[in-house]
Amino acid sequence: MGAIETARLIGPRATTSLVSRASTLASTAEQLAVLQRLPISDFTTKLTPTAIDIFQINVGKLCNMTCRHCHVDAGPDRTDEMMSRDTIDLCLAALDGTEARVVDITGGAPELNPHFRYLVEECVARGKHVIDRCNLTILLTGPCRDLPAWFAERGVEIVCSLPHYRKRNTDLQRGDGTFEKSIEALRRLNAAGYGKGDPRLRLTLMHNPVGAFLAGDQKSMEKEWKEGLEANHGLTFDSLIALNNMPISRFLEWLEASGNLQPYMELLVNAYNPGTVQGLMCRNTLSIGWDGRVYDCDFNQMLELGARYPDGRAAHIRDFNPAGLGARSIVTGRHCFGCTAGAGSSCGGAIA
Ligand code: SF4
Ligand code: SF4
């Protein structure tokens, strides 16, 4: 078996951040140039926004882990990119000017932001449905150990990354020992009442493929995972969402290094599904970066493709104008094929 074929099967391993290694791909311009050099079609679908339903707030790039597929290039070294309390207050003021129902808090490991609990409390007090995008292992670290019960008191939905219900596949993508820690964190969430069918205490698992292929069928995976986690570990959860890996940041690096970039992009382009367009998350979501810049989605944020008002001004949370943003054109690029391939992919899972 050749090196490329082996890499396709075993997928990416845990790594360090592109920034810490001074990789050329730490530059978002270089990432876009790499995609643009490929002999594939451009993404030409025009995307227009609907009303803002979801505020996705990325509170920073600091993370206790360094997964190879990470589209944020997060890691323990990313201490500089951290949303300040002032910017959080600007986000809350902006939120008050919309009808958004959901606040989706992400990172990095969002729990590591010193103002994380303040943000959650303020959103809960406003009657918003709050989602914490949690990597599970963070719940075992000192200051976060009480979070399962703390979240439960506030009805926060937990969306946790777990690449697979088998140890080998999970540790390959996220690092040795991740699986055992994740299982222990799930046990604590179950003990706090999560994942048992209570609509106030929803526990959602999030799967990314461990390699250069599309996410499998979400419904059948959910059934298989429920059976596997219950039989092997006595664990329960409410639902599973499956996301395609985006060809950006560290997954882009792995695709290039393993010789999978061209085949993966061809796979995405050939699997383009127009039926996903209506449900793309960039249409009803706004993504806010740690420094207050506003984006159409978390992926555009990581490529520094900022949202712009119709007059060309870059959008920032300090001069937030929802009506103006409603008239914008969504910024697209070849990375968008990651969202429209197959059953589609969004922060809420499959689309079509
Ligand atoms: S846990 Fe999430 S944010 Fe942290 S390195 Fe892994 S994929 Fe990135
Ligand atoms: S990356 Fe996905 S969510 Fe973001 S603009 Fe492109 S299609 Fe929309």
Side-chain angles (χ1 to χ4, degrees), residues 43 47 246 280-283 296-301 303 330-340 345-346:
F43 186 89
L47 302 177
M246 294 300 279
L280 289 170
M281 65 179 176
C282 47
R283 303 197 61 211
D296 302 303
C297 72
D298 201 43
F299 306 125
N300 282 3
Q301 179 180 151
L303 288 169
I330 292 171
V331 183
T332 59
R334 288 176 163 187
H335 61 290
C336 295
F337 283 116
C339 297
T340 54
S345 184
S346 73

Side-chain angles (χ1 to χ4, degrees), residues 193-258:
Y194 276 99
K196 297 174 184 293
D198 180 343
R200 256 195 97 248
L201 300 178
R202 284 194 62 76
L203 177 59
T204 302
L205 298 192
M206 196 173 80
H207 155 85
N208 296 77
V210 187
F213 44 88
L214 298 183
D217 177 66
Q218 190 168 277
K219 267 286 152 230
S220 52
M221 285 173 63
E222 180 180 291
K223 183 170 180 295
E224 185 187 345
W225 287 45
K226 280 191 169 169
E227 289 168 0
L229 282 174
E230 179 131 41
N232 298 331
H233 304 283
L235 294 171
T236 56
F237 64 94
D238 295 304
S239 58
L240 178 136
I241 57 178
L243 274 66
N244 293 333
N245 285 311
M246 294 300 279
I248 64 178
S249 194
R250 296 211 289 261
F251 192 67
L252 175 62
E253 180 191 44
W254 176 79
L255 286 170
E256 259 198 318
S258 63

Side-chain angles (χ1 to χ4, degrees), residues 19-41:
V19 166
S20 72
R21 283 180 277 124
S23 162
T24 53
L25 287 177
S27 150
T28 54
E30 178 59 19
Q31 292 180 40
L32 290 165
V34 165
L35 291 179
Q36 212 48 50
R37 280 197 289 270
L38 296 172
I40 58 167
S41 314

Side-chain angles (χ1 to χ4, degrees), residues 15-28 31 58 60-63 65-79 81 107-109 248-251 253 298 302-303:
T15 181
T16 51
S17 77
L18 297 169
V19 166
S20 72
R21 283 180 277 124
S23 162
T24 53
L25 287 177
S27 150
T28 54
Q31 292 180 40
N58 190 312
K61 299 190 178 186
L62 181 63
C63 189
M65 299 177 73
T66 40
C67 312
R68 172 70 81 181
H69 71 296
C70 184
H71 71 275
V72 180
D73 196 28
D77 59 303
R78 306 301 302 270
T79 49
E81 296 93 347
I248 64 178
S249 194
R250 296 211 289 261
F251 192 67
E253 180 191 44
D298 201 43
M302 296 315 149
L303 288 169

